[in-house]
Amino acid sequence: MLGINGPEFILLLIIGVLVIGPSRLPEYTQKLANLVKEVRRMASGAREQIKEEVGIDIDEVDWKKYDPRQYDPRRIIKDALLDDDTKPVSAGAPAAAATAVDTKPKAPVRVIERLAEGEAAPFDTEAT
């Protein structure tokens, strides 16, 4: 509660009683009780207003479905890449169509260019 532990809270209550005084203490406790009741009434009124505007019972909503932690981009991409959407080829299809479905795309061949012995590396004078 606002970073106040038990002994500090009791000390604040004692200081409040001494500052307010015993003659005005019942008046201030009644004001505090009315404030708490008003806040509770406002909170329940807001809950009822939300229920009316949304049209569904908030207690019945499956909040796990709306948890943003379940939308991990890495998992979504992995699922999309591993998803097997290929359709089986019928027996009457041409042979080229059957092999096109079965073959996987090949990775591009990486060409590494080496500098000749003693040749200087390219240098850009405008690079920062």
Side-chain angles (χ1 to χ4, degrees), residues 75-102:
R75 185 185 55 80
I76 293 170
I77 292 172
K78 179 180 162 188
D79 290 346
L81 292 175
L82 296 179
D83 191 18
D84 189 17
D85 285 340
T86 58
K87 298 178 182 176
V89 179
S90 64
T99 57
V101 172
D102 294 336

Side-chain angles (χ1 to χ4, degrees), residues 107-114:
V109 178
R110 187 172 172 188
V111 178
I112 301 174
E113 295 181 23
R114 302 274 181 191

Side-chain angles (χ1 to χ4, degrees), residues 2-18:
L2 303 172
I4 299 173
N5 59 20
E8 290 175 352
F9 185 70
I10 292 172
L11 181 65
L12 287 174
L13 283 176
I14 292 172
I15 291 172
V17 168
L18 293 175

Side-chain angles (χ1 to χ4, degrees), residues 25-101:
L25 188 61
E27 177 186 343
Y28 282 101
T29 54
Q30 183 63 36
K31 287 182 181 180
L32 180 64
N34 289 340
L35 178 70
V36 170
K37 288 178 187 176
E38 184 68 22
V39 168
R40 284 185 182 171
R41 186 188 62 76
M42 288 172 50
S44 65
R47 182 178 297 131
E48 293 299 322
Q49 184 178 1
I50 289 173
K51 284 182 183 179
E52 288 176 11
E53 291 179 4
V54 173
I56 57 173
D57 192 14
I58 294 176
D59 299 332
E60 294 176 6
V61 173
D62 183 19
W63 293 107
K64 290 181 182 179
K65 188 168 52 172
Y66 300 112
D67 186 12
R69 292 176 288 189
Q70 72 178 346
Y71 299 113
D72 182 22
R74 294 172 293 201
R75 185 185 55 80
I76 293 170
I77 292 172
K78 179 180 162 188
D79 290 346
L81 292 175
L82 296 179
D83 191 18
D84 189 17
D85 285 340
T86 58
K87 298 178 182 176
V89 179
S90 64
T99 57
V101 172

